[in-house]
């Protein structure tokens, strides 16, 4: 506690404003327990930026932690690109603190003689990624905490290609940030270097989204759509994109249409959670809609619900969505005679293997990277001789083409509607097309278990769980013999039956994946942005007929439940 008080007292110096000093002094005087969580560690500027609770302290998002990150970024840019006229784009989402924090970022950048293009109001994160390329910026920054609770905010950095920072830039920026004191931050803005942007970039993004996400399909006017932005940024783009693409029957969940960082109608603004889309599904049932689209606050993730074979609305998971989108895109390339062996699909180590099987059936390569779209964006940069068709990850994110270099719920929403309209016009449905995929390949069923472990104790527990799984490997999963253990921290794939080891050619990450002889997988990964450890379970089996889909799905669900009972 003494060490924490020493750190807290440092925030009473003249480097901090009166409001901050007053808040810290009150915490010290009242001997608040909250002071420990605020100062027991520094909020890390990690490989993707920062995310945390808003408030004063080293372990919080505030003017000074954001300012320090930006000053470090400035120092890195000036060293890496000496003499260049630098330009940075800034976007922000609907959270209470995003707008003023974006101004702090603009102040520090301009104070360091860097030109700033700042969005006039909240915008989806994929539009910021697009803007970096469109406006020929050196860097992009977005203020967002994605789908985290209302008390959170965050800071993500994009490089000149529009993708989030990856090696070597990430480590270089982190080094600069960590070398700074708060007193080193230059907050003295040069307003003449800041330009406000908006409609021009919107127009360009709408056109690019439709160019990449619209196809030669029938049935657009017949498709009934329900859309919810979950109080987030997508309300600024998705309705307009759908309208311009020819969709006229769109019902918006009006109670959730107003951007609001409190997210008053949901416990969590995360389209991965069925509860978040309840109002949208209710509206879909009232209007007899075919498809529900819901996005997270910064509009990079998309949740989709469609009617199953019995006509009931069914929320799809990210693996199902990315599988059908991948098949649709590759098939379109095939129909247009564009496949020549120089294309690829992007995926991640914890996403479904069904995507790999689909791509392989067309003779298309699947490149697999670590969790996070920055690695898919890096694939595009690393293989300029190849065409990128599309890519996704299990956490409800997909990217169509390379005009955006991050997951993009705007274009993905349009693509989902194109698939649904095309299927409906042919007497099929989005869900039936998914089942057809299962009959052609295998019926894959995945499940995610997230264990929340908050604070210092939680971090220790997560560390211990990973240590146990690494040092005492599982030998069986649901009675199936475990054959492979993939340890991405040591970059070793080990055959547990023969002892053979193979090097994994992917950057190191604290992820473990067990794979049985039957292809069942269990992955364990601590979250990089939340106090959670995540377990990804994947099972699969053959499906001989759509008529048997319900029975096979029940069998896979039972298997997943048995695995959960074994693990926990």
């Amino acid at each position: 506690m003494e060490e924490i008080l020493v750190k807290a007292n440092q925030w009473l110096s003249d480097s901090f404003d009166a409001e901050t000093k007053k808040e810290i002094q009150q915490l010290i005087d009242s001997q608040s327990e909250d002071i420990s969580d605020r100062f027991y560690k520094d909020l890390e500027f990690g490989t993707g930026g920062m995310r945390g609770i808003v408030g004063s302290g080293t372990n919080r998002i505030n003017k000074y932690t954001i300012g320090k990150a930006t000053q470090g970024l400035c120092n890195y840019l000036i060293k890496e690109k000496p003499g260049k006229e630098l330009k940075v784009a800034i976007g922000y989402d609907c959270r209470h603190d995003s707008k003023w924090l974006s101004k702090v970022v603009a102040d520090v950048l301009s104070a360091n003689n860097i030109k700033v293009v700042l969005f006039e109001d909240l915008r989806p994160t994929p539009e910021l990624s697009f803007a970096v390329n469109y406006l020929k910026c050196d860097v992009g920054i977005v203020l967002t905490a994605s789908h985290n609770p209302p008390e959170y905010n965050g800071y993500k950095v994009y490089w000149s290609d529009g993708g989030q920072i990856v090696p070597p830039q990430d480590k270089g920026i982190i080094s600069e940030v960590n070398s700074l004191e708060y007193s080193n931050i230059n907050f003295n803005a040069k307003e003449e270097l800041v330009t406000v942007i908006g409609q021009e970039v919107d127009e360009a993004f709408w056109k690019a989204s439709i160019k990449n996400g619209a196809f030669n399909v029938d049935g657009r006017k017949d498709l009934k759509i329900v859309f919810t932005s979950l109080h987030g940024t997508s309300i600024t783009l998705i309705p307009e994109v759908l309208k311009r693409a020819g969709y006229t029957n769109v019902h918006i969940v009006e109670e959730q249409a107003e951007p609001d960082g409190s997210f008053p109608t949901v416990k969590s603004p995360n389209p991965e959670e069925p509860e978040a889309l309840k109002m949208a599904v209710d509206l879909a049932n009232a209007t007899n809609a075919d498809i529900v689209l819901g996005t997270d606050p910064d509009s990079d993730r998309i949740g989709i619900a469609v009617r199953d074979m019995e006509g009931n609305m069914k929320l799809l998971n990210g693996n199902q969505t990315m599988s059908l989108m991948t098949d649709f895109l590759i098939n379109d390339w095939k129909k247009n005679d564009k496949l020549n062996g120089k294309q690829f699909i992007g995926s991640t180590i914890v996403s479904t293997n069904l995507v790999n099987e689909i791509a392989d059936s067309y003779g298309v390569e699947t490149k697999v990277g670590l969790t996070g779209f920055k690695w898919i964006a890096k694939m595009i940069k690393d293989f300029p001789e190849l065409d990128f068709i599309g890519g996704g990850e299990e956490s409800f994110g997909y990217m169509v083409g390379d005009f955006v270099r991050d997951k993009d719920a705007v274009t993905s929403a349009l693509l989902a509607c194109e698939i649904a309209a095309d299927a409906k016009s042919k007497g099929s449905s989005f869900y039936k097309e998914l089942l057809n995929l299962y009959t052609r390949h295998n019926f894959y069923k995945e499940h995610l278990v997230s264990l929340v472990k908050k604070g210092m104790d939680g971090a220790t527990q997560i560390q211990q769980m990973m240590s146990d799984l690494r040092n005492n490997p599982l030998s069986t999963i649901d009675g199936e013999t475990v054959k492979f253990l993939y340890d991405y921290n040591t970059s070793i794939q080990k055959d547990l039956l023969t002892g053979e080891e193979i090097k994994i050619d992917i950057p190191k990450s604290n992820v473990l994946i067990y794979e049985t002889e039957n292809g069942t997988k269990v992955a364990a990964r601590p979250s990089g942005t939340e106090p959670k450890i995540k377990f990804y379970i994947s099972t699969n089996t053959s499906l001989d007929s759509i008529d048997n889909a319900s029975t096979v799905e029940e069998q896979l669900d039972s298997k997943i439940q048995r695995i959960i009972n074994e693990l926990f």
Side-chain angles (χ1 to χ4, degrees):
M1 187 64 185
E2 186 176 337
E3 186 181 335
I4 285 170
L5 283 173
V6 169
K7 286 183 75 174
N9 273 287
Q10 291 170 356
W11 279 55
L12 301 177
S13 74
D14 290 341
S15 296
F16 300 89
D17 60 34
E19 188 178 344
T20 298
K21 288 191 280 189
K22 181 181 177 183
E23 184 180 349
I24 298 301
Q25 190 66 63
Q26 287 174 344
L27 288 169
I28 294 171
D29 292 345
S30 64
Q31 298 182 331
S32 170
E33 291 182 8
D34 188 31
I35 201 166
S36 294
D37 193 58
R38 287 173 183 248
F39 285 98
Y40 84 91
K41 68 173 184 176
D42 291 348
L43 190 66
E44 290 182 12
F45 185 96
T47 54
M50 303 190 296
R51 195 180 297 180
I53 296 169
V54 176
S56 296
T58 59
N59 188 32
R60 292 289 186 268
I61 292 284
N62 52 63
K63 173 181 177 179
Y64 299 98
T65 53
I66 288 286
K68 186 178 175 184
T70 307
Q71 185 64 57
L73 175 61
C74 292
N75 293 353
Y76 179 80
L77 280 172
I78 291 165
K79 286 180 181 177
E80 285 294 302
K81 303 184 178 186
K84 186 180 189 300
E85 187 177 78
L86 298 165
K87 184 165 65 169
V88 174
I90 304 174
Y92 59 92
D93 70 4
C94 59
R95 290 175 181 272
H96 298 306
D97 303 286
S98 288
K99 188 165 190 172
W100 74 263
L101 285 170
S102 73
K103 181 63 169 63
V104 169
V105 175
D107 287 350
V108 176
L109 287 164
S110 65
N112 285 271
N113 298 309
I114 295 174
K115 284 188 172 182
V116 175
V117 285
L118 172 65
F119 273 101
E120 62 188 0
D121 205 346
L122 75 174
R123 290 295 192 279
T125 288
E127 186 174 1
L128 182 278
S129 171
F130 171 80
V132 172
N133 259 321
Y134 178 71
L135 299 174
K136 296 180 171 56
C137 296
D138 298 282
V139 161
I141 297 168
V142 64
L143 283 301
T144 177
S146 189
H147 56 280
N148 279 54
E151 63 269 23
Y152 280 77
N153 215 310
Y155 178 99
K156 289 199 294 188
V157 179
Y158 293 76
W159 201 240
S160 54
D161 65 328
Q164 288 184 57
I165 52 170
V166 292
Q169 288 84 18
D170 55 359
K171 298 290 195 300
I173 296 167
I174 290 166
S175 177
E176 289 290 342
V177 174
N178 291 342
S179 72
L180 293 174
E181 301 296 333
Y182 291 107
S183 57
N184 300 137
I185 306 167
N186 188 349
F187 287 112
N188 299 313
K190 295 179 180 176
E191 298 293 349
E192 67 274 14
L193 294 179
V194 180
T195 303
V196 175
I197 57 173
Q199 188 175 355
E200 179 203 340
V201 183
D202 294 341
E203 287 285 342
F205 184 82
W206 285 328
K207 289 175 183 175
S209 182
I210 291 167
K211 180 182 177 182
N212 284 270
F215 300 84
N216 186 25
V217 303
D218 296 320
R220 287 176 181 149
K221 287 182 169 57
D222 295 326
L223 190 72
K224 295 180 182 178
I225 303 163
V226 165
F227 164 68
T228 176
S229 59
L230 295 180
H231 305 288
T233 60
S234 63
I235 195 70
T236 64
L237 283 180
I238 287 180
E240 186 67 24
V241 166
L242 293 177
K243 178 183 173 184
R244 291 183 180 215
Y247 291 95
T248 55
N249 202 340
V250 181
H251 300 268
I252 295 172
V253 181
E254 296 296 341
E255 300 93 328
Q256 297 176 327
E258 188 71 27
D260 187 341
S262 298
F263 312 117
T265 65
V266 292
K267 284 184 178 178
S268 170
N270 186 354
E272 294 179 77
E273 298 175 13
E275 190 177 3
L277 295 185
K278 184 180 185 307
M279 292 180 77
V281 169
D282 288 346
L283 181 58
N285 287 328
T287 58
N288 196 31
D290 300 294
I291 187 168
V292 165
L293 309 169
T295 58
D296 66 346
D298 68 328
S299 190
D300 57 2
R301 297 176 189 226
I302 185 166
I304 296 172
V306 294
R307 298 206 177 272
D308 64 15
M309 300 303 288
E310 285 74 47
N312 301 312
M313 293 305 297
K314 186 181 182 78
L315 181 63
L316 304 179
N317 64 42
N319 286 307
Q320 292 171 315
T321 298
M322 70 182 281
S323 295
L324 192 51
M325 286 182 172
T326 298
D327 185 72
F328 185 89
L329 289 175
I330 301 177
N331 193 46
D332 185 77
W333 278 65
K334 181 182 178 183
K335 284 190 296 185
N336 289 289
D337 200 28
K338 295 195 297 181
L339 293 180
N340 60 8
K342 294 183 178 180
Q343 290 76 38
F344 76 96
I345 292 292
S347 186
T348 74
I349 57 175
V350 296
S351 298
T352 181
N353 273 12
L354 177 56
V355 163
N356 309 47
E357 290 187 20
I358 290 166
D360 188 58
S361 71
Y362 288 98
V364 173
E365 180 186 2
T366 301
K367 293 187 181 297
V368 180
L370 294 175
T371 307
F373 257 75
K374 63 181 182 180
W375 300 110
I376 295 178
K378 187 175 185 296
M379 295 169 190
I380 299 171
K381 188 164 62 173
D382 288 348
F383 298 95
E385 72 279 9
L386 301 180
D387 295 318
F388 175 73
I389 295 176
E393 62 181 2
E394 55 74 39
S395 57
F396 287 55
Y398 203 81
M399 180 167 71
V400 185
D402 64 0
F403 77 105
V404 168
R405 301 292 176 94
D406 202 356
K407 48 186 177 284
D408 172 13
V410 179
T411 313
S412 298
L414 174 57
L415 174 58
C417 292
E418 294 285 90
I419 295 170
D422 182 60
K424 188 175 182 180
S425 72
K426 295 173 179 174
S428 183
S429 69
F430 195 103
Y431 191 70
K432 188 173 182 181
E433 290 306 305
L434 178 64
L435 295 183
N436 283 332
L437 267 187
Y438 292 154
T439 60
R440 294 206 301 272
H441 302 282
N442 264 356
F443 195 140
Y444 276 78
K445 193 73 191 279
E446 287 86 14
H447 186 78
L448 172 66
V449 178
S450 291
L451 303 181
V452 177
K453 304 286 184 181
K454 293 184 178 180
M456 289 184 282
D457 290 343
T460 302
Q461 289 177 48
I462 289 172
Q463 189 176 11
Q464 187 60 50
M465 291 172 82
M466 290 300 292
S467 176
D468 291 343
L469 285 167
R470 185 168 274 118
N471 298 322
N472 303 294
L474 302 174
S475 57
T476 62
I477 298 173
D478 191 38
E480 298 174 12
T481 300
V482 174
K483 181 170 175 60
F484 293 113
L485 173 60
Y486 302 80
D487 188 338
Y488 290 87
N489 213 36
T490 60
S491 301
I492 296 294
Q493 172 194 332
K494 184 173 184 178
D495 187 323
L496 297 182
L497 303 183
T498 66
E500 181 186 3
E501 294 185 350
I502 300 173
K503 183 172 172 53
I504 300 171
D505 190 21
I506 286 179
K508 292 182 185 296
S509 184
N510 190 16
V511 183
L512 291 170
I513 299 180
Y514 290 92
E515 183 178 2
T516 72
E517 291 180 305
N518 294 359
T520 298
K521 285 187 174 184
V522 173
R525 181 181 79 90
S527 171
T529 55
E530 300 170 275
K532 291 180 178 178
I533 180 169
K534 297 182 177 184
F535 292 86
Y536 306 79
I537 301 168
S538 176
T539 61
N540 72 90
T541 190
S542 60
L543 176 65
D544 59 351
S545 165
I546 286 178
D547 295 337
N548 296 327
S550 294
T551 302
V552 170
E553 185 168 19
E554 285 175 12
Q555 291 170 354
L556 291 175
D557 284 339
S558 296
K559 183 179 184 65
I560 288 169
Q561 192 55 57
R562 291 194 301 271
I563 294 171
I564 291 171
N565 292 341
E566 271 185 24
L567 291 173
F568 311 109

